Amino acid sequence: MNKYCIVIGIVFCLNVPVSLSGLAQSTGLTAFPLSNVRLLDGPFKDAQQTDLRYMMELNPNRLLAPFLREAGLPAKAVSYGNWENTGLDGHIGGHYLTALSLMYASTGEERVKQRLDYMIDQLEQCQQANGEGYIGGIPGGKAMWATIAAGKIDAGGFSLNGKWVPLYNIHKLYAGLYDAWMIGGNQKARTLLVKLCDWCVKLVSNLSDEQVQQMLRSEHGGMNEVFADVAAATGDERYLTLARRFSDRRILDPLLQQKDGLTGMHANTQIPKVIGYKRIAELAHDTAWANAADFFWTTVVKHRTVSIGGNSVREHFHPANDFSSMVESREGPETCNSYNMLKLTRHLFLSKPSNTYMDYYERTLFNHILSSQNPNGGFVYFTPMRPNHYRVYSRPQDGFWCCVGSGMENHGKYGELIYAHNDNDLYVNLFIHSTLEWKEKGLKLTQDTRFPSVSLSNIRLSLAKPARFTIYVRYPSWVTPGHMSVKINDRPIEVKHDGSSYIAINRQWKSGDVITVYPSMHTEVERLPDSSAWVSFVHGPIVLAAATDTSGLDGLFADGSRMGHVAAGRLVSQDDAPLVVGKEDKLASKVQYQLSNKRDMVFPVSGLFYQPKYKTLYLRPFYTIHNKRYVIYFPYASPDKLEEVTKVMKEQEQARLALDAITADVVYGGEQQPESDHNFKADKAEAGLFRERNFRNAKGWFSYDLRNAGGKAKKLRVTYYGRERNKQFDIYVNDVLLTSVKMDGTGEDKFMDVDYSLPDSLLNSAPSSVTVKFVAKEGATTANVFEVRLLK
C-alpha cells in the first residue's frame, strides 16, 4: 500500500447506506455520449490531442480519390500509397469518417466537423454517380459485385473474386457512415448509409444462405454488426435479417456449443464477427448468441491474452497452451485486435455490468491502446512481447495499415466508458481525469485524479437541485480486499468487501458534494497464460516494462513499403535479456514504487536479475516507453533451476538467431496476413491446420513473392510433415523449375525442413525479389507447406 492510501474500517456519523454489488442480476446500462464527457490534463488527453494533429495532417482529397475514381469522377488529388493503392483502396477513408466523428464528439472542435461534412458531401456525389446506392473504393469493385450478385463466388481467407478482402474494406465505409450519422450528427450520412444498405440487400437477394456463407469465408469485418446497428437505428427489420445472413456459421456454431476452435485462426477476422453476434443478440433477445459471444470473450481473455491485454502472434491465435511463439516473434499482439476486443467488452459490460469486463477493459486501455501511439504521432501495428525488441510507428503520409485506421479511432474515444448510467443511477468505471455532464439529471461531475501516478480520485458533483440516487464506484480486482477507502465530504465511510465489484452509495446528493476514493495499488507478478517461465510485473492495472537500449531500431518510423509495419531490425538473444531469479512469491516485493514528479512512475529494482549488468534496473509503465527496445516479459528461473534454464535458453537462442541471420525472407503457409504480405496467388488452393500449425496446399498451384535484399539468396527451405503420402508437385523459382517432389509416406513422424539450392541462372542475376511457386502434378496434390524460407 502506498503512502496515499488510508484504510478506514469504521463508520462516522453519516447517514449513507453503502454496499457492494456484483451486479450479476442488474439490468443493462447505457454509455454516455462522447459529447457529454471531456478529458482533462493527463496521458489520455495528451494522446487525444496527438491523434487530432495526426488526423488533420491527412489530405481528405487523397483519401477520397479511390471513391471518386470508382464512381467515374475526377479525383482532386493522387491517392495515398501503401495499402491504399495496392488493393485495399478506400479502407482508411471509412475509418477516417469514424475517427472524425469520435474526435468531434470528444472535443467539439468545429474544424473536425467541417472535415467530416466535406467527406460526406464528396461521398454523396460518388453515390449519385454510381447509381443503385453503391459507394466504394475497391478497384474494379462494381464489376466484382456484379459477379457476386450472379452467384459466382470464389472466396478465400483474404480474397473474394480476386480482390483483397472487399467486404472488410466496405465494412469500414458502412461503419464510418453510421458513426458520421449517429455520433457526428451528419444527417446526410444517414441517407447515404440506408441507400448503401439497400444496395447490399439487393446484392444478396438472389443468393442462397449457402452462397452467402461461402462469401463469408473471406474476411468481412463487422458487417453483421453494422447491419444490426442500422436495424436498431431505423427500425427496419430487413437489416436485422441481413445481419443474421452475414453471420459466419463456421465461427458461430462452435461457440454456441461452448467449444474453443480458435487455434490457427486469423484473430482479427473473428473478433468483429463476434461483436456482431452480440449486437444481434441484444436486438433479438437471443440468449444463445449472447452466451456464444461471452464464451468467446472468456476464451480469448483468460487463455489467449498477455498482460497488456493483447493477443495473437503474426495476427493468428496460437495454441492456448504454448506461448513460445509470443516471446520469440517480432510480430506480437496486433492493435486492431485490442481495438475490437474493447468494442466487444463494452457491449458485454453494458448488457451485464461486471468488474470482470471492466478489469480487462482498463488493463487493455492503459497498456495496449494508450501505448500504441507515439507521443509525437504515429500508430503501432505489432507490439512484440519478445524481450529487447521494439515497435514501429506509422507516418501520416506513408503508412495506411489497418492499425492506422483503428488507431485514429482509438485515441478519440477514451471517454466512452469512464462513466455509464441506468435510468436513475451513475456508474464510475475508470479513474481518468475528466468531466461529465448528465443533462437529463441536471448533474455535472468532475473527476480530479492523477491516477495511476497517485492512487486517489476526487469526484465533485454539481447539481441543479438536490436528488437521491445511487453512485456506483468501481472496486477493482487489483485492490486488495479491505484496502479501498472512501470519504464523502472528507468523512470516511465504511466499505465492506464481499467479493463484489462496485461500491453503491445511495444518498441525497447536493451540489458541492465530493467523493474521495483511495484505490490502493500493489505490485503483482503475472506469468504467461500457459504458465511457462516468463513473468511480467503489474502495479495495479499498470504493466511495467524496462527500457533497455536504442540500438538497431531499423524502420522505427515506417516508410510506405508493404512490410514497413514490422520491426525488422536485429533480434537480441533472449539469453541477454534480464533474467529474473528468486522465489516466485517474493519477486514482487523487490519492485518498489517511486513518484519522481507529478506524473512519472518509476520502480527501481535491485537484486532480482541474474546478469551483473542488470544489477539495478528501472521499471516504468509500458505506455510511457517509446523509441526504445524494451522488456515486458522477463525469463524466470527459481534458484535451483537457474543453471538448467540458462543452458537451454542459450542453446535455443543460438539456433534461432543463426537461422534469422541467414534468412532473406520467410512466409508462413496458410497464415492470412503473412501470405497477403507476400503477394499470395493461387488456383484450387486451400489452407488448414495440422498439429496446431497452419499450412497451405493446392490441387492446382500457389505462389509467394519473397524479398531478396542484395540478391544474396542461395537456397530455398520448405517445411513439410514427414509422413505425407501421395503428394506429387513441382517447385518453380522465377518460373524456373527448381525440383520435382514426390512424397510416399516413408518420412519421419515430425515436421522437417528440406533445403533446395537455387539454380545458377538465378544466383547470377541476383534478383531483389523471388517468386516461389508450388504446382501440383496432374491429378495430384501438393504437400502441406508450413513454411517457405529464402536463405542467404
Side-chain angles (χ1 to χ4, degrees), residues 705-718:
D705 292 344
L706 281 80
R707 291 163 297 164
N708 183 24
K712 297 179 180 180
K714 302 295 183 184
K715 294 181 179 181
L716 182 73
R717 176 172 292 177
V718 183

Side-chain angles (χ1 to χ4, degrees), residues 157 213-214 216-221 224 244-278 288-289 291-297 299-300 317 344 672:
Q213 288 296 307
Q214 182 185 356
L216 298 181
R217 291 174 62 86
S218 177
E219 185 177 7
H220 51 276
N224 55 351
R244 284 194 180 274
R245 294 197 76 191
F246 269 82
S247 292
D248 185 0
R249 301 296 308 202
R250 294 176 307 138
I251 304 303
L252 176 59
D253 289 345
L255 295 176
L256 289 170
Q257 300 171 40
Q258 307 284 287
K259 292 182 179 178
D260 175 5
L262 299 177
T263 296
M265 288 188 173
H266 185 255
N268 199 47
T269 296
Q270 318 316 324
I271 305 169
K273 299 175 187 177
V274 179
I275 299 170
Y277 305 154
K278 174 60 178 172
W289 282 39
N291 289 341
D294 203 3
F295 175 76
F296 175 90
W297 184 92
T299 296
V300 173
F317 287 125
L344 177 59
Q672 181 171 327

Side-chain angles (χ1 to χ4, degrees), residues 19 111 157 252 257 326 333 383 399 421 459 465 468 485 497 499 565 575 594 653 664 676 723 729 734:
S19 64
R111 60 183 174 136
L252 176 59
Q257 300 171 40
M326 181 66 76
T383 298
H421 68 94
I459 301 167
K465 60 182 179 179
R468 176 172 287 277
S485 57
H497 188 269
H565 57 285
D575 64 334
Q594 292 180 0
E653 274 298 279
S676 180
R723 288 195 175 171
F729 57 99
N734 285 5

Side-chain angles (χ1 to χ4, degrees), residues 445-498:
L445 174 154
T446 298
Q447 184 176 183
D448 186 6
T449 181
R450 284 161 47 194
F451 184 87
S453 298
V454 179
S455 297
L456 168 68
S457 184
N458 285 307
I459 301 167
R460 293 183 170 85
L461 306 183
S462 175
L463 286 158
K465 60 182 179 179
R468 176 172 287 277
F469 59 95
T470 301
I471 296 180
Y472 291 89
V473 180
R474 178 164 155 261
Y475 195 123
S477 66
W478 43 261
V479 174
T480 303
H483 286 71
M484 180 160 165
S485 57
V486 179
K487 293 180 181 179
I488 297 179
N489 300 331
D490 283 331
R491 293 184 176 182
I493 62 173
E494 185 181 44
V495 176
K496 294 180 179 179
H497 188 269
D498 61 359

Side-chain angles (χ1 to χ4, degrees), residues 675-692:
E675 287 193 325
S676 180
D677 287 338
H678 290 86
N679 195 29
F680 169 78
K681 296 179 181 178
D683 178 53
K684 299 177 184 176
E686 293 184 348
L689 188 74
F690 176 74
R691 293 188 178 177
E692 299 187 324

Side-chain angles (χ1 to χ4, degrees), residues 187-258:
Q187 293 303 307
K188 188 179 291 184
R190 180 195 190 279
T191 302
L192 271 59
L193 175 62
V194 170
K195 288 181 178 180
L196 189 60
C197 287
D198 290 342
W199 166 82
C200 193
V201 169
K202 183 178 178 181
L203 175 75
V204 300
S205 60
N206 293 322
L207 299 182
S208 67
D209 287 343
E210 290 75 16
Q211 286 175 310
V212 173
Q213 288 296 307
Q214 182 185 356
M215 184 172 63
L216 298 181
R217 291 174 62 86
S218 177
E219 185 177 7
H220 51 276
M223 289 289 280
N224 55 351
E225 176 202 8
V226 77
F227 290 139
D229 283 339
V230 176
T234 63
D236 193 328
E237 288 284 337
R238 293 181 304 147
Y239 305 136
L240 187 58
T241 299
L242 193 62
R244 284 194 180 274
R245 294 197 76 191
F246 269 82
S247 292
D248 185 0
R249 301 296 308 202
R250 294 176 307 138
I251 304 303
L252 176 59
D253 289 345
L255 295 176
L256 289 170
Q257 300 171 40
Q258 307 284 287

Side-chain angles (χ1 to χ4, degrees), residues 684-702:
K684 299 177 184 176
E686 293 184 348
L689 188 74
F690 176 74
R691 293 188 178 177
E692 299 187 324
R693 289 186 68 172
N694 293 85
F695 66 79
R696 170 68 60 185
N697 65 24
K699 292 182 178 178
W701 59 270
F702 63 94

